[in-house]
Amino acid sequence: MIIVLTGIDGSGKSTAARTLVQAVRARGGKALLLSNHAGRRTMSVLAAACGVRIPGRLADAVESVVRTANVLVSHLRASRCDGLVVMDRHLHCQLALRSAKGLPRRRFLPWLLAALPRPAAVVHLELDPAEAHRRITARGTDAETLADLVAFRDGYATLPGFGAFIRVDASLPAAELAKRLMQAVDGLPATLPDSVPGTSGEPSVTNGN
C-alpha cells in the first residue's frame, strides 16, 4: 500500500512521513519511507547565494527531471515492499508548482501520474502560508516568499484530484498530528491486513477534523 504526503513548503511533510513510518513500525507493521524531492531547496539556496532568481520555466524543467527520476525509482522500490510505503512528495507537487508559477500543466506528468500505480491515499498537510513562511525562515536552510507559498497552496487546489485528498491540519502539535495520520491510514480499505495488529478502522481524517 502506498500513501503519498503532499503540502506546501514548511508544512512538515518530511517530519510527518518519518513519524508515520515510525508509528507503523512501533505497532509491528512493515513500513518504508521514500522521498521524491526535486532539488528545489538546493536551487533556492544557490540562487540566493548568487543573488539571482532562476526563471520559472528553467526551474520547472530541472525540478521535473529530478522529481520524475526519484518517483520512478521510488515506485520500483515500492513494488518490492509488502508493507506500507510512505512517499514524501510526488508528481502532484510538481503539477501544483507549475500552477503556482503560471506554467501550463502539459501532458507528460499527468500521463505518468495516471500510468503509475495509484496510491491508496494522498494525504495533504494543510498549513497557513504565513505559518509555513515563519517555519522556513526559522530553519534558515532555504528561502521562500510568502507570495510564493500562497501561490503554491492555491496551485494544489487547482489539481483535478485535489478533492479526493485526505486533508490534515499540519498546525497540530506533533503528537496529535501523528495520531491524525494514523487515523487516516487506519480508515483506508484493506489497510495492512496481517501486517499491523490492532488497526482501529476509524474513519479517515478530512479537512483537519
Side-chain angles (χ1 to χ4, degrees):
M1 175 187 291
I2 297 174
I3 302 294
V4 171
L5 296 187
T6 66
I8 64 174
D9 292 350
S11 60
K13 296 181 293 298
S14 297
T15 299
R18 289 193 298 270
T19 299
L20 180 56
V21 166
Q22 291 167 359
V24 171
R25 289 173 178 171
R27 286 165 45 161
K30 296 179 180 179
L32 175 65
L33 172 59
L34 300 172
S35 296
N36 297 315
H37 295 278
R40 291 187 67 236
R41 181 178 298 182
T42 300
M43 281 197 293
S44 67
V45 170
L46 289 175
C50 297
V52 299
R53 185 175 181 86
I54 301 175
R57 290 183 182 276
L58 176 59
D60 172 69
V62 175
E63 293 164 6
S64 294
V65 170
V66 174
R67 198 186 304 274
T68 297
N70 283 331
V71 165
L72 292 175
V73 171
S74 290
H75 275 278
L76 178 61
R77 294 181 63 189
S79 68
R80 301 170 180 170
C81 178
D82 61 356
L84 176 68
V85 175
V86 179
M87 291 195 182
D88 173 10
R89 302 169 176 81
H90 205 282
L91 297 179
H92 313 80
C93 304
Q94 200 60 41
L95 291 170
L97 280 169
R98 284 184 178 175
S99 179
K101 296 174 182 177
L103 300 175
R105 188 174 286 120
R106 301 191 181 93
R107 296 181 180 181
F108 179 70
L109 289 189
W111 171 83
L112 181 58
L113 187 58
L116 288 169
R118 185 177 180 180
V122 179
V123 178
H124 186 73
L125 300 183
E126 292 193 320
L127 187 67
D128 182 85
E131 172 59 19
H133 187 258
R134 185 195 67 78
R135 292 183 181 183
I136 292 170
T137 302
R139 71 192 183 196
T141 57
D142 53 337
E144 293 288 344
T145 68
L146 178 56
D148 285 342
L149 293 170
V150 170
F152 197 7
R153 178 200 62 189
D154 296 344
Y156 272 112
T158 68
L159 297 180
F162 185 70
F165 288 11
I166 297 175
R167 298 192 289 278
V168 177
D169 183 0
S171 68
L172 293 170
E176 181 62 22
L177 178 57
K179 178 181 177 181
R180 298 293 180 94
L181 290 172
M182 285 304 300
Q183 287 175 347
V185 171
D186 286 341
L188 296 173
T191 300
L192 298 178
D194 304 328
S195 292
V196 180
T199 51
S200 65
E202 295 174 348
S204 60
V205 182
T206 58
N207 297 320
N209 296 319

